[in-house]
Amino acid sequence: MESDSAGGGAPTILNGRKPNILYLWLGDKIFTAVVVILGASIIMLALGMAWVLFDEGSLSLREYGFINFIKGKTWDPAVQLVFGAWPFIFGTVITSSMALLIAFFPALAVAIFSAEYAPPWLSGIIDNLVQLIAAIPSVVIGIWGIFVLAPWLRDTVYMPIYLWTELNQPGLLPILGNPIGYGMATATIVLALMIVPYTTALAKDAIKAVPKDQREASWALGSTRWEVIRMAVLPYARGGITAGAILSLGRAIGETMAVAMLIGNKNTLPFSIFGAGATMPSVIVNEFREAVESLHLSSLMAIGFVLFIIALIVNLTAAYINRKLSIGGGQIL
Amino acid sequence: MEINIMKSKDLPEETLKTVHSNTENQKTVMKNRMETKNLTVKYGSIYGVKNISLPFQDKTVTALIGPSGCGKTTYLRALNRMHDLTREAKIEGEVLLDNKNIYDEDINPVTIRRKIGMVFQKPTPFPTMSIYDNVVAGLKLVGIRNRSLLDEVCEKALKQAALFDEVKDRLKTPAVSISGGQQQRLSIARALAVEPEVLLMDEPTSSLDPQATLRIEELIHVLKKDITIIIITHNMQQAARVSDKTAFFYVGDLIEAGDTNTIFTNPKEKQTEDYITGRFG
C-alpha cells in the first residue's frame, strides 16, 4: 500500500498523496532543535552569569563565609582590607522599598485614571508620557538630579526640616543627617520617580484585563464609578497590580547610574535620612575601576552575586503572587 | 377587550393604560410599571433596535423572544441605562419608569440601577468575595452594615434563588468555589437582595441544568407577586411557562407583542408564527 491510512480504507485525495518527506520529519526535527537550542541558551546564559559571579566572588566568599560576608558591617578597601556587604544591602533595601512605597499609590492612581476615567485621547497622552519617562536614560535622570532636583530639595525641603529639628528635637539630628542634598532621601525620591512608569503600566494592564461582565455586574447593582472600581475592578486586578509593584521593586533594586550619582556614596554605616549612603549597584559601579586588590575585586563580584540572588527572589515572588492572587480563567465551571 | 400593545410609532395616550386580560385575572386594569416609547438604540450609524414602544405592566412577566442578534439584549440593556457605559451607544426615545423618563437630565443612573436589577447570561460572582459577601454586596453599597439584617437578607435571597440549602454551611467560602449553575443562582440572589422593583433577566437559565432552570422558573412565579420581570429567553417552552406577555423581536424591530397565550396559539404575524414553530431562528 502506498499509504498507511487509518483504518486501511481506500486512498483519498488526502491520505493517498505521497507525504512530503521534509515536511513530515526533517523540518519538524530542525525546528525542534532550533527552538530547544535557543531556549536552552537563555537558561544557560542566566546560569552562566550566576556561576561567573559566584566563581569570581568565591575568593571573598571563602575568606569571610557567605553569611558573614552579608552580615559584615565594615567595608574598608583602603586600610584594613575588610569587606562586608551589609551597608550596601541595607542601603539597597531601604532606598528601593521606600521608593516603591512613595511611588505605588500615585502610580496606581494614574493607572486607574487612565484606564477608567480618562477619555481615550487623554488616556493615550498619559500612556505616552508614562512611556516617555520610562525611556529616559538613567544617566540623564541622574544629571538632572545633580543639577536640579538635589539642590532644590536641599533648599526647599531638607534645610527647613533640618533647621526645625535642630531647634525642637536636636536629639533626632544624627538620624536626619547632613542636608547636603546628595544622599539616601534624594536617591529614594529619584528611584520613586523612575519606577512610577513601570508600576503604572503594569497596574493599568491588570486593570484593563478585568472582564467587562465583572464591571457590568457591579454597575447593575447600582454602584457608582468608584464603587465599581472598588468592588469589581481592583479586587480582580489585585494579583497583577501587586506583581507589577514587586517587579518595579526589582527595577529599583537594580537601578545603578542615577543612584550612584545622587546617593553621596558613603561606605560606612550608619546611614542617615538626608546623609550619604550607598547601594549594591552603586558601590560596584563606583569601585570596580579602582579595585586593584584581588580580594576587593572579588568582594565586588560577591556583591554582584548577592544582588543577582535578591533580584531572582524578587522576580520569583512577583511570579508567585501573580499566580496566587490572580483570578485566571476557569473559575467558572 | 383586546390587548393593545403595538409597534406603531404614535401610540395614542389613552391606550397606554393597557388592559390586562389574563386567564385568571379577567379584565383587571393594571398600571404600567415601565414603558418604552419609540426607543431606538444606535451604535454609531448601526441600529441596535428601532422605535420600540412597549409597556410592561406591574407585577407581570414579559418574555422577549427572537433569534440571536435581533436586538433583545440591546433593548433590555437600555431599560436600566447599561448602555451609558458603552461610549458609542446612543439612545433615542423614552424609557418610562412610573411615567418618568429614566434618561432625563435630573435622573441619576445609579439610582435607576438600584431600582431596576439585572441578571446576566453568564454567572458573574465577584471572585475575591465569599458567597455571603457576594449576596450582600449591593446592600453594603447603600451603607447597610447591620450584621443581623445582612444575615437575614442573605438567607432570604439565597432561599429565593434556590441556593440556600446547597451553600448554607459554607457561606464564607469563595464564590468561585461553587459550580457554574450555583454561581448563576448566586448572581440572581445578589440581584434580589437589593429588592429591585423591576428585574431584567438576560437568558438567566442558559447555563443551568433542567433542575436549576425549573427552580428559577418557580422563583419567577413567586417574584411576580411583588415585582415586574422582563426576561429574555431562547427557550420557547420557558417563555410560554413563565411569562404573561411576550414580545417578538426580529432584526431590531418589535414584530409583535401581546398575551403569551395569544402569541403562542394565534400569532398575528407570519414571522412570529414561523419563529415560534421553529421554522427559523
Side-chain angles (χ1 to χ4, degrees):
Chain A
M1 301 302 156
E2 75 258 36
S3 74
D4 40 2
S5 57
T12 65
I13 283 186
L14 277 176
N15 67 15
R17 197 177 54 142
K18 269 228 156 75
N20 182 331
I21 213 155
L22 193 71
Y23 176 77
L24 263 185
W25 60 274
L26 191 56
D28 209 35
K29 277 193 176 163
I30 291 172
F31 181 75
T32 308
V34 167
V35 169
V36 166
I37 288 168
L38 289 178
S41 65
I42 291 294
I43 299 170
M44 297 311 290
L45 196 65
L47 289 177
M49 283 161 74
W51 172 251
V52 167
L53 287 170
F54 177 75
D55 191 43
E56 297 280 329
S58 63
L59 180 66
S60 172
L61 291 175
R62 258 201 302 276
E63 173 85 19
Y64 302 106
F66 186 69
I67 299 296
N68 282 330
F69 177 71
I70 288 175
K71 277 172 24 187
K73 292 190 176 61
T74 315
W75 178 274
D76 186 350
V79 185
Q80 307 169 60
L81 281 184
V82 173
F83 299 97
W86 180 246
F88 312 112
I89 295 173
F90 176 78
T92 300
V93 169
I94 292 293
T95 50
S96 40
S97 55
M98 289 311 289
L100 179 63
L101 209 64
I102 295 170
F104 181 71
F105 289 102
L108 186 60
V110 173
I112 290 173
F113 179 76
S114 166
E116 297 284 323
Y117 286 84
W121 61 269
L122 185 59
S123 171
I125 291 175
I126 293 171
D127 291 356
N128 279 311
L129 284 177
V130 164
Q131 282 165 19
L132 192 71
I133 299 177
I136 299 173
S138 73
V139 69
V140 174
I141 293 185
I143 211 154
W144 169 76
I146 285 179
F147 289 112
V148 181
L149 185 70
W152 183 83
L153 282 172
R154 180 188 62 212
D155 297 342
T156 49
V157 183
Y158 301 164
M159 280 311 280
I161 294 176
Y162 187 83
L163 294 175
W164 183 90
T165 313
E166 198 173 27
L167 279 177
N168 299 291
Q169 298 283 338
L172 291 178
L173 282 183
I175 301 172
L176 216 53
N178 283 332
I180 46 173
Y182 306 99
M184 299 280 279
T186 308
T188 303
I189 289 166
V190 165
L191 267 183
L193 286 176
M194 292 177 78
I195 63 172
V196 158
Y198 296 100
T199 318
T200 304
L202 293 166
K204 192 186 170 183
D205 284 350
I207 288 171
K208 280 280 178 199
V210 176
K212 197 170 151 228
D213 54 11
Q214 284 286 318
R215 296 163 202 269
E216 287 185 343
S218 183
W219 283 117
L221 283 176
S223 303
T224 60
R225 205 202 277 259
W226 161 241
E227 285 162 347
V228 170
I229 292 170
R230 205 189 57 195
M231 179 193 273
V233 176
L234 291 183
Y236 201 97
R238 64 182 183 182
I241 292 172
T242 317
I246 293 173
L247 287 175
S248 305
L249 180 70
R251 297 240 12 138
I253 288 171
E255 177 49 47
T256 309
M257 230 27 242
V259 173
M261 290 163 86
L262 290 165
I263 202 164
N265 299 310
K266 174 183 152 211
N267 293 347
T268 46
L269 288 172
F271 295 159
S272 51
I273 295 174
F274 295 153
T279 65
M280 290 191 274
S282 80
V283 74
I284 293 173
V285 77
N286 280 325
E287 294 194 0
F288 78 95
R289 278 158 300 167
E290 296 121 45
V292 283
E293 297 288 340
S294 56
L295 187 60
H296 188 189
L297 195 62
S298 172
S299 297
L300 289 174
M301 282 296 197
I303 285 184
F305 180 66
V306 175
L307 189 59
F308 186 94
I309 288 176
I310 291 179
L312 192 69
I313 291 171
V314 165
N315 277 285
L316 290 178
T317 311
Y320 175 77
I321 285 180
N322 199 8
R323 190 146 16 101
K324 203 75 187 160
L325 290 183
S326 279
I327 291 92
Q331 87 274 24
I332 292 161
L333 302 169
Chain B
M1 212 167 167
E2 196 45 66
I3 44 124
N4 44 23
I5 301 163
M6 54 192 70
K7 59 167 179 170
S8 86
K9 271 186 182 179
D10 30 23
L11 211 56
E13 197 62 38
E14 61 270 21
T15 62
L16 295 176
K17 291 265 176 281
T18 45
V19 173
H20 180 50
S21 53
N22 201 316
T23 38
E24 319 113 63
N25 208 350
Q26 285 289 330
K27 295 191 177 180
T28 318
V29 180
M30 297 188 76
K31 88 181 208 297
N32 287 333
R33 195 65 216 257
M34 260 194 115
E35 177 172 20
T36 62
K37 281 187 190 169
N38 301 326
L39 182 73
T40 296
V41 182
K42 278 196 280 192
Y43 298 106
S45 58
I46 303 157
Y47 282 91
V49 287
K50 263 179 289 187
N51 278 324
I52 310 286
S53 294
L54 188 61
F56 302 102
Q57 287 153 6
D58 198 17
K59 302 186 171 92
T60 58
V61 179
T62 306
L64 309 182
I65 60 170
S68 296
C70 68
K72 305 180 300 283
T73 300
T74 302
Y75 177 75
L76 194 76
R77 291 165 64 87
L79 299 183
N80 69 342
R81 296 192 59 167
M82 290 300 272
H83 287 302
D84 290 16
L85 316 170
T86 324
R87 286 181 212 278
E88 56 267 28
K90 198 165 169 291
I91 314 281
E92 287 162 13
E94 292 181 319
V95 178
L96 304 177
L97 176 69
D98 298 326
N99 292 320
K100 174 81 180 147
N101 186 3
I102 65 168
Y103 284 92
D104 277 351
E105 286 291 319
D106 59 333
I107 296 278
N108 183 351
V110 169
T111 328
I112 288 300
R113 293 189 203 110
R114 282 183 186 160
K115 284 186 187 167
I116 307 177
M118 192 165 196
V119 175
F120 299 90
Q121 195 173 348
K122 278 194 286 179
T124 51
F126 298 127
T128 56
M129 294 185 193
S130 67
I131 294 170
Y132 179 90
D133 285 334
N134 260 281
V135 179
V136 300
L139 296 170
K140 283 191 172 166
L141 277 183
V142 292
I144 298 172
R145 290 282 181 277
N146 182 336
R147 195 74 200 175
S148 58
L149 179 64
L150 290 179
D151 288 349
E152 195 183 305
V153 173
C154 176
E155 184 176 332
K156 185 183 165 208
L158 285 173
K159 276 183 177 156
Q160 282 182 317
L163 185 61
F164 186 71
D165 290 336
E166 291 161 54
V167 299
K168 64 183 171 197
D169 300 323
R170 44 178 178 146
L171 290 175
K172 298 292 172 196
T173 56
V176 284
S177 65
I178 56 181
S179 78
Q182 290 173 324
Q183 288 181 15
Q184 179 68 349
R185 279 178 281 154
L186 178 62
S187 307
I188 293 173
R190 190 176 60 194
L192 292 175
V194 290
E195 299 190 332
E197 296 165 20
V198 179
L199 187 62
L200 311 176
M201 304 176 106
D202 187 353
E203 289 187 63
T205 59
S206 63
S207 63
L208 298 184
D209 65 29
Q211 196 64 34
T213 302
L214 193 68
R215 294 213 187 133
I216 298 303
E217 289 179 7
E218 284 165 1
L219 167 69
I220 292 171
H221 273 294
V222 174
L223 284 176
K224 78 169 185 181
K225 292 191 185 102
D226 303 312
I227 66 177
T228 309
I229 296 173
I230 303 164
I231 178 172
I232 291 179
T233 177
H234 277 290
N235 181 332
M236 291 305 113
Q237 285 82 23
Q238 184 172 67
R241 280 194 301 264
V242 302
S243 69
D244 306 303
K245 304 278 180 183
T246 298
F248 173 62
F249 283 71
Y250 186 62
V251 234
D253 285 315
L254 176 62
I255 304 297
E256 189 174 356
D259 270 7
T260 299
N261 284 342
T262 320
I263 295 275
F264 276 87
T265 53
N266 189 18
K268 283 200 226 63
E269 304 287 334
K270 180 84 170 59
Q271 279 168 308
T272 317
E273 191 183 341
D274 287 351
Y275 181 70
I276 287 167
T277 53
R279 247 166 261 158
F280 80 98

